[in-house]
């Protein structure tokens, strides 16, 4: 999961994932969507492949990139415990705010 988190830390890689969430794309299409040079896009794609977030398949001369959701599911599962913790704390805060409003009346 560390490799996935490192991959997600970069805004350009998150943009690539946003694009691939909606549809598969070639490296050229992804490069056109990013404000960086093609070699930089290639490096980002390599990081995404190595982290398991993206896979590539060959179609004739084209390399088609697509999203693999499994690593994101793993991150989501890990974050769920924190979401639960914070939701309990937010619920408690709402309760205290309501109590405070009742005592001021």
């Amino acid at each position: 999961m560390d490799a996935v988190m490192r991959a997600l830390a970069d805004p350009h890689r998150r943009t690539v994932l946003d694009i691939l969430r909606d549809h598969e794309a070639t490296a050229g299409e992804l490069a056109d969507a990013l404000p960086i040079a093609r070699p930089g896009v290639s490096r980002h794609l390599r990081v995404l492949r190595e982290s398991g977030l993206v896979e590539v398949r060959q179609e004739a001369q084209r390399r088609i990139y697509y999203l693999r959701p499994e690593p994101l599911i793993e991150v989501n599962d890990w974050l769920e415990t924190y979401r639960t913790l914070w939701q309990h704390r937010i619920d408690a805060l709402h309760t205290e705010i309501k109590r405070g409003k009742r005592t001021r009346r």
Side-chain angles (χ1 to χ4, degrees), residues 7-58:
L8 293 173
D10 185 274
H12 292 106
R13 290 193 285 265
R14 289 193 307 270
T15 298
V16 169
L17 294 177
D18 288 344
I19 294 166
L20 296 178
R21 178 189 59 215
D22 296 331
H23 57 82
E24 298 176 344
T26 64
E29 292 166 340
L30 294 168
D32 290 343
L34 296 170
I36 57 176
R38 287 183 188 257
V41 174
S42 294
R43 284 190 292 276
H44 286 304
L45 287 169
R46 185 181 70 242
V47 170
L48 291 169
R49 281 193 325 270
E50 290 172 354
S51 71
L53 287 163
V54 167
E55 284 197 13
V56 63
R57 72 173 184 278
Q58 194 80 28

Side-chain angles (χ1 to χ4, degrees), residues 37-84:
R38 287 183 188 257
V41 174
S42 294
R43 284 190 292 276
H44 286 304
L45 287 169
R46 185 181 70 242
V47 170
L48 291 169
R49 281 193 325 270
E50 290 172 354
S51 71
L53 287 163
V54 167
E55 284 197 13
V56 63
R57 72 173 184 278
Q58 194 80 28
E59 284 186 7
Q61 300 298 326
R62 298 170 12 136
R63 295 171 56 93
I64 309 296
Y65 292 85
Y66 59 96
L67 182 66
R68 287 191 64 248
E70 295 85 2
L72 294 172
I73 292 168
E74 182 181 345
V75 170
N76 184 61
D77 291 346
W78 179 77
L79 287 171
E80 186 58 35
T81 57
Y82 294 95
R83 267 189 224 105
T84 302

